[in-house]
Amino acid sequence: QVQLVTSGGGLVQAGGSLRLSCSASGTIFSINAMGWYRQAPGKQRELVAVITDGGNTNYADSVKGRFTISRDNAKNTVYLQMNSLKPEDTAVYYCNADIRVHRFGSRDYWGQGTQVTVSS
């Protein structure tokens, strides 16, 4: 009933930029926090950035000052602007959202993931 569709990944040279988008659709009462995770080969999935419904943000130390998370509540969409990309940023990036389909509770939903590759 709820689907997150992620787009914007690709191949970019070190120092370049990409913008990821993730849009939620389906039966949605409201969306609480939305965030981005990434997983590199051989490593655990890690939180990159999160934004609450009130606009508060948190970032992993490794991306502070380079990445910016934002959301458009009218479009049920979260963005991740990635600047000054480094080879270490290479990973599959996943969108996550805490979504209420009714007024009584919420649960996490995940996007399909998009590959970001940064060449040196």
Side-chain angles (χ1 to χ4, degrees):
Q1 292 184 329
V2 175
Q3 185 176 8
L4 301 181
V5 178
T6 306
S7 63
L11 175 64
V12 66
Q13 292 188 110
S17 298
L18 287 172
R19 189 175 79 154
L20 306 183
S21 300
C22 176
S23 297
S25 62
T27 303
I28 298 172
F29 180 77
S30 65
I31 302 178
N32 300 317
M34 305 184 79
W36 292 94
Y37 291 73
R38 67 185 182 187
Q39 188 166 22
K43 296 184 178 180
Q44 292 186 327
R45 186 174 299 186
E46 65 172 338
L47 178 66
V48 176
V50 63
I51 183 167
T52 69
D53 55 337
N56 298 119
T57 60
N58 284 295
Y59 298 90
D61 289 340
S62 59
V63 307
K64 285 181 179 178
R66 299 187 298 119
F67 291 11
T68 302
I69 188 171
S70 61
R71 63 191 288 171
D72 186 335
N73 292 329
K75 297 180 179 179
N76 290 333
T77 299
V78 62
Y79 305 94
L80 186 68
Q81 178 67 46
M82 304 185 293
N83 298 326
S84 301
L85 282 162
K86 304 175 181 179
E88 305 93 273
D89 297 318
T90 296
V92 177
Y93 284 71
Y94 297 91
C95 174
N96 173 266
D98 182 26
I99 298 177
R100 295 180 182 269
V101 298
H102 52 71
R103 63 181 58 183
F104 301 112
S106 65
R107 76 170 185 87
D108 284 347
Y109 291 84
W110 291 90
Q112 80 279 14
T114 185
Q115 177 70 49
V116 172
T117 302
V118 184
S119 62
S120 60

